[in-house]
Every structure is written in structure tokens, then in C-alpha cells.
Amino acid sequence: IVFGNVIATFASKILLKNYPDALAVVGEGEYALEEIVRKTLKAGNDFSEIPNLIYIKDGKVVENKRVPFHLDELEIPSFDYMDDIVKANGHVWIEASRGCNSRCVFCSRYPVRMTKWVPINTDKVLAVISELNVRFGIRHFRFSDDDFLGTGSEYGMIHAQEIANGIIKKGLDSLITVKNEQVQRNRFDSSQAS
């Protein structure tokens, strides 16, 4: 059993107390999950070098080093099951950035990523939107970003504007949804045209 996401990040020790043979991936899981699969396929059980992992070994909790995922390593996602998602009227979530510049005590954003706001390359974001729109007819894109506009970042609004302008330039018929606290009415005019 591998636990992940926010619950594992904040309650890993509780989960491991109840499931001592499980692994808890804290923070971002790309590196950890890939390495867990590699180790498991090789019948290995030495998890000491896998980042972002907490587990129990010899009755003691082991907490490996936390490492943020380098967003420049993101590939265009697989669309293997997209036809099934479209047929089921499923929602399509995409991301254009990760992290947040704020440190609000009530929020899980910073403890999960442990970095400030970091944008994903605009060309990659637009490639995903274009592929989903042209190939699958998807029009409604929901951004899962913690902070789509990169609040407090010099590049945040520019990044969002580049995405909006790219959608317009490509002539994509689309609707974008971001978290409501991310909307700045007077600063994001191009998005209305897309």
C-alpha cells in the first residue's frame, strides 16, 4: 500500500501506525512513485534513497529527504484513457504551475511542495490544451494550480497572459476555470476573449 497526497503529507505517521507495512509519499510524488515501482519490480525493499518517502523499518519511522519535483522534467501527459473520460463526461484538469508564494498557516500548499510559485513552460501548457481541444474536442479546462496567477511573482500575470494569448492565437474554442480567489478582473482581460 502506498499513501499519497495531502493526507499522507500531514498524517503519514498516523497512517503508518495503522498500516506499518505501507509507504507514505509526502509532498510531490513523481520521483517517489517512479522509484517505488522500480524497486518493487526488482523485488527490492531498500527504500532509503527514495525522496519524499516515509516508512517503517525495524519498528522505527524513517523519513527520507524532501525534494521538490523539477517542473522542467514534466512530459506531455499520456492521453491513453482520454476517450473514456470524454465518453463519461469526465472533467479534465491541467496545471500551469505549482507552489505558492504565500505561507498562510491554514493552507496546505507550501507544506506539500515546499517551494515558491514555479510556472510550467507555457509551450507545454498550450500543447496539452491544444491536443485535448483538437484531438478530443474538449473545451472546458480546469486548472488545478495552487496559485494560477503566481501571486507576488513578477512573472505570474505574464505567464497567465501568455497562456490566454496562446489559446487565442491558436484559435481554440475553450473555457478556462481557475480557483475563484485567483481572478483579478482588471488584469486578465485576454482570457475573456479565449
Side-chain angles (χ1 to χ4, degrees), residues 139-155:
R139 292 188 57 248
H140 190 177
F141 300 99
R142 294 163 179 87
F143 282 88
S144 62
D145 300 38
D146 297 323
D147 184 1
F148 181 75
L149 298 178
T151 304
S153 167
E154 290 181 28
Y155 184 59

Side-chain angles (χ1 to χ4, degrees), residues 106-164:
F106 57 82
C107 187
S108 66
R109 293 174 182 165
Y110 182 76
V112 170
R113 179 148 172 84
M114 298 185 74
T115 66
K116 292 185 174 191
W117 179 83
V118 179
I120 294 172
N121 179 289
T122 304
D123 291 335
K124 286 183 181 180
V125 175
L126 290 170
V128 170
I129 292 171
S130 182
E131 181 80 8
L132 291 169
N133 184 263
V134 173
R135 183 170 160 197
F136 299 101
I138 295 170
R139 292 188 57 248
H140 190 177
F141 300 99
R142 294 163 179 87
F143 282 88
S144 62
D145 300 38
D146 297 323
D147 184 1
F148 181 75
L149 298 178
T151 304
S153 167
E154 290 181 28
Y155 184 59
M157 280 302 300
I158 295 168
H159 184 253
Q161 199 71 52
E162 286 175 352
I163 292 170

Side-chain angles (χ1 to χ4, degrees), residues 43-102:
N45 62 358
D46 177 12
F47 300 113
S48 62
E49 298 298 317
I50 298 176
N52 303 350
L53 190 64
I54 299 178
Y55 58 99
I56 294 179
K57 182 176 182 177
D58 301 326
K60 295 182 181 176
V61 175
V62 177
E63 296 184 49
N64 292 354
K65 180 181 177 182
R66 290 283 302 270
V67 177
F69 182 67
H70 298 288
L71 295 179
D72 57 338
E73 294 179 25
L74 272 178
E75 298 292 332
I76 301 296
S78 164
F79 298 114
D80 294 347
Y81 299 100
M82 194 54 62
D83 284 325
D84 297 328
I85 293 168
V86 170
K87 286 177 191 171
N89 293 317
H91 296 280
V92 176
W93 292 87
I94 60 176
E95 64 180 345
S97 64
R98 288 191 190 171
C100 182
N101 292 325
S102 302

